[in-house]
Amino acid sequence: MRALMMLSAAAVVGGLLILIVVITVQGAGALSWAMVTQLPSGGYYLGKEGGLLNAIVGSLLLAGGATLLAGVLALPVALYLQRDYGGDTRRANLVRMSLDLLWGVPSIVYGAFGFTIMLYLGMRASLLGGILALTLVVLPIMARAMDEVFRLVSVSLKEASWALGATRWETMRSVVLRQALPGLLTAVLLAFGRAIGDAASVLFTAGYTDNLPQSLLDPVASLPLAVFFQLGTPFPEVQQRAYAAAFILLVLVLLVSVGGRLLASRMSRFSADR
Amino acid sequence: MSSSSAPPDMQPPQMRDGASAGPPIDADRPTGGRLRLVMDRLVTGAVSAVSVAVALLTVSLVVALLVRSLPVLGLQSLAEMITGTVWHPLQGKFGFWPFIVGTLWVTVLAMLLATPACILTAIYLAEYAATGLRAVVRPMIDVLAGIPSVVYGLFGVLVIVPLVRDRLAPAAAEHLSGVPLLAPGKVSTGYCVLAAAVVLALMVTPVIISVAEEVLRGVSPGVREASLSLGATRWETVKHVSFRIAMPGLIAAVVLGFARAFGETMAVLMVAGNVAQLPGSLFDPAYPLPALIANNYGEMMSIPLYDSALMLGALILLVVVLIFNLLAELVLIWARRRSSQ
Amino acid sequence: MSHISVRNLTVAYNGHPALRDVSFDIPDRQVTAIIGPSGCGKTTFLRCLNRLIDVNNSVRVQGQVLIDGEDIFAPRADVMSLRRKMGLLSQKPQVLPMSIFDNVTYGPRLHGVRKRAQLEQIVERCLRMASLWDEVSGRLRAPAAELSVGQQQRLCLARGLAVQPEALLCDEPTASLDPISAQSIEQLFMELKNDYTVVLVTHILRQARRLADYLVFFYMGELVEHGPAQQMLSNPSDPRTRKYLEGVIS
């Protein structure tokens, strides 16, 4: 039995490692300095000059905007789920359940929903539309992660603050937020990682363009879609560039994820002992 | 008021009349206190308002997609469309059956591949692995859970599809001809149900392991030790104690993985082949529902009712995923009730 | 100095009574030790005095706690300033996730003290009162979590003193400390009781003997006996008190 378990553990971990190695080898081989510093030029999609700067910048803008917006919304929701606010009331349980449901909604559905709303508002595919759709994708992820982080803050610590005459909000602001900061940061970076890699939601809502966006209402390119579109062309040179785009995406996600963990462990210096 | 046993450098504390050290705390000053309370109330109100708005998002998702699907629903009945096998938007024929079947094939096969390996790995990590090993593998799994689906899709294109085309399909044609479902119908391109399922299985693996391992670790060590102290082996303890206690959580983990796989778009789109037909074997291409929606967004505005039909597709996807998540939720609530009794 | 008196206080969690009809006056500027076996309602009683009991929303409180004649459970009572008046020292030191300096100034800043010089003055005065100044004066900016547990508990005391409380509520304040740190905390109580009313919940009978001027014995949610410590220790009137003091029930 134990051998079987070790075998499956090895298979799972091994399979995932092979994935990283394959993408790295293929992608790094196709990568060049021009890829990350130039916009696509005229014959780019036939294999000529140019780079992916449009997609890199676009992805960062989309994911950054969505993370910011989702953070602004997720923080109050996570606070509401704590016992000092909504707590164990029926309404809080309803919110918690909705978050669980939203967490499982496929991103293509968020894309379709965003598209519907944009049609209704008369908006075109744009940076703003993409940010809104991506916000929906990462909001439940972030809120749930933050809820868990807040839950780790002990009631006794909050009581210590209340006992000094602080209100709930003052306690939240000065004690709980500070205690939870490393965890919150991890939650934010987790969401950023998810946002930058999501393709299905931006497919309808953000569009794709070879230019950098000049305003929130311009369409914008993204790395996942760059992978998808370039892989779909019949030219091997362009397909190579899809590998490079995937590699850039992978590196960004891994950087954010690993960096977030390291940063969080470093920041916990001021946290009171649990 | 003087402290008899105070150390020499200690000033006597002065309470009410302290001019020198008495800080002017004026907590009874009404405005300051009231302002703080008002602020507290405001924040509480804002926090609950935002939360309720977010909770209502679930409803608005369903409503918005429903409204957009009404045009096509007004022409054909839902049952007719779900069971219809002909997809011909130009003729106004929207039969979803091949796509629903394609989704089910790919997802169910992926779960069959992933679940045993994931549960075994989770048990190994939670109960057997040395702390050092877990300390390395656990964060790695979490990092892997964040890898974008296009990357999994690309891996499928680069590795899994050629593997299926050049090795598995010829082998199956040689040894399994005549076996239903397993024998390739014609020469396989590699872009097929099996390839999509393998990619999906790989993709949901970190998610399932992560949740399942957490659930298993949540089993209190006391119960485990009680079993061990009665002379049970480690595996017997896992089988009879940990596994039983953790069962609802494990089910929830698998359902979460299922929902994730069911709605996954890009990775599947890249490797499933996307032919609108009922797949006859694992080596036939399939056209899952999310792939259909993603593939046709460009032209859907140019053909009447096409967009409405695709939004209906999204709605079907949403409803199925919601039902599965609700089931998982109910299992967990039921388990919590049972254990608290 | 405010005077605390308790009138017919009854507390129930989800309908299960935790305190039944408790009435007595807490003597001013003395150490009042609340003793009794675990689960007898000691901590519940203490949490009523600063209304931290409110945190639990399945709790019901009846009766009155009067501070200078005003009922703290009255609907219009100002909980924030009540809590300022009632300093709390909990079982495990709960330092706030900030520097030593900020821990002490946290309370005063909430209550409107903003001037730098004043805050520095408060920090030095309170840390001296908690006899922690000499140990930390060189590293006031360091995270409070880096202090030893004993130092953390003294920091919590200094933090409580910084808001100028009138009473100190202490819930087994030495329970998580080593003997030497515990001794220094006890020493501080002896000094502080000249200026503050100290209410000390303890399950260590010897600690009560060492520190208490006044003793209150709870048993199964009921106030069994209260009186001057000397008298109660040498000649308890209730058989239950006698049994507890003799160690028959614990």
Side-chain angles (χ1 to χ4, degrees):
Chain A
M1 212 56 223
R2 185 175 179 152
L4 197 61
M5 280 182 219
M6 287 173 76
L7 196 71
S8 56
V12 165
V13 174
L16 293 165
L17 284 182
I18 289 175
L19 178 142
I20 292 188
V21 169
V22 167
I23 300 294
T24 305
V25 169
Q26 295 277 354
L31 198 64
S32 69
W33 187 239
M35 295 284 304
V36 291
T37 53
Q38 289 177 20
L39 291 174
S41 57
Y44 177 75
Y45 296 105
L46 302 169
K48 301 245 178 65
E49 300 281 283
L52 281 168
L53 189 63
N54 59 331
I56 297 173
V57 172
S59 265
L60 291 177
L61 287 175
L62 283 167
T67 309
L68 199 71
L69 198 55
V72 170
L73 292 172
L75 199 62
V77 174
L79 284 184
Y80 183 70
L81 295 179
Q82 305 315 303
R83 281 189 64 185
D84 347 4
Y85 286 98
D88 301 330
T89 59
R90 183 170 292 188
R91 214 195 302 170
N93 281 333
L94 215 64
V95 172
R96 196 170 287 129
M97 188 149 172
S98 311
L99 279 183
D100 283 352
L101 292 180
L102 289 172
W103 190 84
V105 171
S107 67
I108 184 89
V109 173
Y110 283 120
F113 175 71
F115 180 74
T116 305
I117 300 296
M118 283 162 66
L119 273 184
Y120 182 72
L121 296 175
M123 260 168 76
R124 287 188 322 133
S126 60
L127 177 57
L128 183 63
I131 286 177
L132 290 178
L134 272 180
T135 301
L136 297 180
V137 175
V138 293
L139 176 62
I141 300 172
M142 223 196 256
R144 273 173 48 138
M146 286 179 168
D147 174 31
E148 247 153 65
V149 170
F150 282 138
R151 219 165 271 226
L152 289 175
V153 178
S154 75
V155 183
S156 322
L157 184 66
K158 292 190 230 176
E159 285 181 355
S161 169
W162 294 331
L164 290 167
T167 63
R168 278 183 305 183
W169 167 238
E170 285 161 348
T171 303
M172 272 295 169
R173 195 191 55 198
S174 321
V175 177
V176 178
L177 277 183
R178 203 186 286 217
Q179 173 83 355
L181 200 59
L184 292 180
L185 198 80
T186 314
V188 167
L189 287 172
L190 177 78
F192 184 86
R194 276 300 292 272
I196 205 168
D198 198 82
S201 62
V202 293
L203 194 60
F204 296 94
T205 50
Y208 198 87
T209 168
D210 288 351
N211 303 314
L212 295 178
Q214 302 302 317
S215 84
L216 274 175
L217 296 174
D218 285 348
V220 65
S222 54
L223 277 172
L225 292 184
V227 177
F228 180 62
F229 290 144
Q230 296 182 90
L231 199 66
T233 62
F235 307 104
E237 298 91 339
V238 184
Q239 287 178 358
Q240 290 283 321
R241 288 175 177 163
Y243 308 160
F247 177 63
I248 296 171
L249 187 58
L250 184 66
V251 168
L252 280 175
V253 168
L254 292 183
L255 270 184
V256 164
S257 172
V258 175
R261 271 157 231 279
L262 290 180
L263 202 61
S265 65
R266 186 163 282 192
M267 275 181 53
S268 55
R269 196 171 90 104
F270 267 82
S271 300
D273 282 332
R274 286 174 185 140
Chain B
M1 45 198 300
S2 72
S3 329
S4 50
S5 54
D9 60 330
M10 196 172 134
Q11 302 166 355
Q14 294 180 327
M15 285 290 308
R16 302 245 100 182
D17 50 355
S20 61
I25 288 181
D26 193 6
D28 303 325
R29 180 185 48 178
T31 49
R34 195 165 304 150
L35 213 79
R36 291 171 54 208
L37 277 179
V38 167
M39 185 67 193
D40 192 54
R41 299 255 162 78
L42 275 180
V43 171
T44 308
V47 156
S48 47
V50 172
S51 303
V52 171
V54 168
L56 286 177
L57 200 61
T58 329
V59 183
S60 51
L61 275 176
V62 176
V63 170
L65 291 178
L66 189 63
V67 167
R68 294 290 300 174
S69 346
L70 280 181
V72 74
L73 280 172
L75 245 71
Q76 296 170 38
S77 77
L78 183 64
E80 203 180 317
M81 272 187 287
I82 285 182
T83 55
T85 51
V86 182
W87 182 263
H88 211 308
L90 277 174
Q91 295 170 12
K93 285 186 177 142
F94 300 106
F96 278 106
W97 190 240
F99 307 101
I100 293 172
V101 171
T103 309
L104 286 176
W105 267 80
V106 169
T107 316
V108 169
L109 185 58
M111 292 314 288
L112 286 178
L113 289 172
T115 307
C118 287
I119 299 291
L120 284 175
T121 306
I123 293 175
Y124 179 70
L125 286 178
E127 309 256 354
Y128 289 81
T131 4
L133 184 66
R134 188 173 48 234
V136 176
V137 173
R138 206 37 251 244
M140 214 160 85
I141 299 258
D142 287 341
V143 169
L144 289 169
I147 291 184
S149 53
V150 275
V151 175
Y152 281 99
L154 181 60
F155 177 71
V157 171
L158 288 174
V159 176
I160 308 292
V161 167
L163 186 75
V164 170
R165 182 185 57 215
D166 302 338
R167 310 246 175 232
L168 294 180
E174 200 178 310
H175 302 293
L176 298 170
S177 62
V179 184
L181 301 185
L182 293 180
K186 42 189 181 281
V187 177
S188 181
T189 56
Y191 291 90
C192 62
V193 172
L194 182 60
V198 170
V199 170
L200 269 189
L202 207 54
M203 216 182 121
V204 295
T205 295
V207 181
I208 299 180
I209 294 179
S210 182
V211 179
E213 200 253 6
E214 212 161 277
V215 170
L216 283 167
R217 298 266 295 156
V219 176
S220 80
V223 188
R224 199 175 300 149
E225 278 160 20
S227 165
L228 288 173
S229 70
L230 289 171
T233 64
R234 213 126 50 130
W235 172 243
E236 282 164 345
T237 304
V238 169
K239 199 167 62 174
H240 298 300
V241 180
S242 307
F243 212 66
R244 193 171 296 188
I245 297 176
M247 191 44 108
L250 294 179
I251 292 176
V254 172
V255 173
L256 278 181
F258 184 89
R260 181 86 184 265
F262 194 82
E264 172 49 36
T265 309
M266 299 313 279
V268 171
L269 177 62
M270 290 162 80
V271 293
N274 305 331
V275 178
Q277 60 168 31
L278 289 168
S281 101
L282 297 185
F283 297 96
D284 284 349
Y287 205 160
L289 199 48
L292 171 77
I293 303 168
N295 239 355
N296 295 291
Y297 78 99
E299 50 205 289
M300 70 183 178
M301 300 309 290
S302 47
I303 301 170
L305 289 182
Y306 200 179
D307 63 319
S308 183
L310 286 183
M311 290 303 152
L312 178 64
L315 183 63
I316 294 172
L317 205 58
L318 174 65
V319 169
V320 173
V321 169
L322 284 183
I323 288 173
F324 267 95
N325 277 307
L326 266 176
L327 282 180
E329 194 93 348
L330 289 179
V331 167
L332 280 177
I333 290 175
W334 168 77
R336 229 171 278 145
R337 283 232 177 104
R338 196 191 56 170
S339 66
S340 68
Q341 264 165 15
Chain C
M1 175 59 64
S2 305
H3 181 73
I4 308 169
S5 50
V6 183
R7 294 284 169 266
N8 309 101
L9 186 66
T10 298
V11 180
Y13 296 107
N14 288 324
H16 302 288
L19 278 184
R20 259 172 288 189
D21 199 24
V22 172
S23 299
F24 72 104
D25 276 41
I26 297 178
D28 302 339
R29 289 188 203 175
Q30 291 190 4
V31 175
T32 299
I34 315 239
I35 55 171
S38 56
C40 68
K42 298 184 300 253
T43 300
T44 300
F45 174 74
L46 201 72
R47 290 167 69 88
C48 284
L49 296 184
N50 62 359
R51 281 190 61 178
L52 266 187
I53 195 98
D54 297 8
V55 172
N56 190 329
N57 42 23
S58 55
V59 78
R60 237 181 94 207
V61 181
Q62 288 167 309
Q64 295 177 312
V65 173
L66 302 169
I67 293 187
D68 290 336
E70 281 184 47
D71 182 15
I72 62 168
F73 285 104
R76 301 206 42 168
D78 180 353
V79 182
M80 302 309 148
S81 66
L82 164 74
R83 289 186 182 155
R84 187 194 64 73
K85 280 188 225 164
M86 301 283 135
L88 175 73
L89 201 57
S90 57
Q91 212 170 69
K92 222 180 127 221
Q94 297 290 343
V95 297
L96 303 174
M98 41 188 95
S99 68
I100 297 170
F101 186 90
D102 290 343
N103 257 274
V104 182
T105 57
Y106 178 76
R109 271 182 299 167
L110 285 178
H111 297 289
V113 181
R114 296 257 182 265
K115 287 200 188 100
R116 185 87 208 157
Q118 254 170 14
L119 290 173
E120 278 170 3
Q121 215 178 358
I122 293 173
V123 169
E124 181 169 350
R125 185 177 60 94
C126 295
L127 286 175
R128 278 190 196 282
M129 282 171 75
S131 55
L132 191 59
W133 176 253
D134 295 336
E135 291 162 60
V136 301
S137 59
R139 48 176 178 141
L140 293 174
R141 293 285 155 203
E146 286 178 3
L147 296 174
S148 74
V149 181
Q151 288 173 322
Q152 287 188 9
Q153 190 67 312
R154 276 180 283 154
L155 178 64
C156 290
L157 183 59
R159 186 182 64 195
L161 292 173
V163 291
Q164 295 193 314
E166 303 183 0
L168 294 174
L169 312 178
C170 310
D171 188 3
E172 303 190 13
T174 58
S176 55
L177 304 185
D178 60 277
I180 294 175
S181 305
Q183 205 188 356
S184 74
I185 290 279
E186 285 189 9
Q187 180 69 35
L188 285 166
F189 286 148
M190 296 310 287
E191 290 157 12
L192 291 167
K193 74 172 178 185
N194 295 308
D195 303 300
Y196 301 92
T197 301
V198 178
V199 184
L200 172 72
V201 162
T202 181
H203 67 281
I204 314 168
L205 209 48
R206 282 203 214 144
Q207 188 173 50
R209 271 183 222 277
R210 280 195 298 269
L211 298 176
D213 304 305
Y214 199 80
L215 270 185
V216 181
F217 176 59
F218 277 109
Y219 188 67
M220 296 178 69
E222 241 175 90
L223 172 61
V224 174
E225 194 174 346
H226 61 102
Q230 288 306 324
Q231 182 195 323
M232 217 170 118
L233 286 169
S234 56
N235 191 16
S237 60
D238 194 285
R240 286 170 293 180
T241 318
R242 186 171 302 121
K243 276 188 186 161
Y244 180 75
L245 293 176
E246 284 166 0
V248 181
I249 50 178
S250 61

